[in-house]
Amino acid sequence: MFIERNLTADKQVYCWAQPGPQASFAGKWCTKEAVIKSVSSLNLQTPKVWVRGDAAPLIDIEIVIAESGAPQVVFHRNANDASVKTGVTWVKVSISHIDDFAIAVAIVQ
């Protein structure tokens, strides 16, 4: 249920195909959380932009692999609305994961 609420079907296939699927799933989720925090703090005068609550699915934030091999963020539906509302013009993310650990950083402008 958690995986389906937070990752698209193609991202689920991608993560399951990795040598460490749990780390891959955790890395994707950490990145989405980092994006939420970064978008939320871009413009502190903007009212709350994540209106679906703390348990809202993160499926509207997609982490794809760019041509360069770097992770890239694509906003859909509610996440796109939130990014427009706060004035996001670009997002850069970094993901690292191994075994039982994952970390991600997101920077927005």
Side-chain angles (χ1 to χ4, degrees):
M1 178 75 115
F2 176 84
I3 292 172
E4 292 79 12
R5 282 176 34 90
N6 292 290
L7 293 168
T8 60
D10 61 321
K11 295 304 174 278
Q12 292 174 44
V13 169
Y14 170 84
C15 290
W16 282 121
Q18 300 308 303
Q22 292 83 356
S24 188
F25 281 115
K28 297 282 188 209
W29 188 80
C30 284
T31 306
K32 293 174 181 228
E33 281 288 315
V35 168
I36 285 174
K37 304 304 190 264
S38 197
V39 169
S40 296
S41 65
L42 177 62
N43 185 345
L44 298 178
Q45 285 70 43
T46 301
K48 187 174 181 178
V49 294
W50 305 105
V51 295
R52 296 191 56 204
D54 293 339
L58 302 182
I59 203 163
D60 291 351
I61 300 170
E62 187 176 10
I63 311 304
V64 299
I65 304 301
E67 196 69 29
S68 67
Q72 181 179 3
V73 176
V74 178
F75 292 114
H76 301 284
R77 295 171 294 279
N78 293 326
N80 188 63
D81 294 344
S83 70
V84 168
K85 190 174 184 179
T86 57
V88 171
T89 57
W90 58 258
V91 181
K92 299 290 183 190
V93 294
S94 178
I95 311 166
S96 185
H97 53 75
I98 187 168
D99 300 329
D100 294 337
F101 302 96
I103 189 169
V105 174
I107 300 171
V108 299
Q109 183 173 337

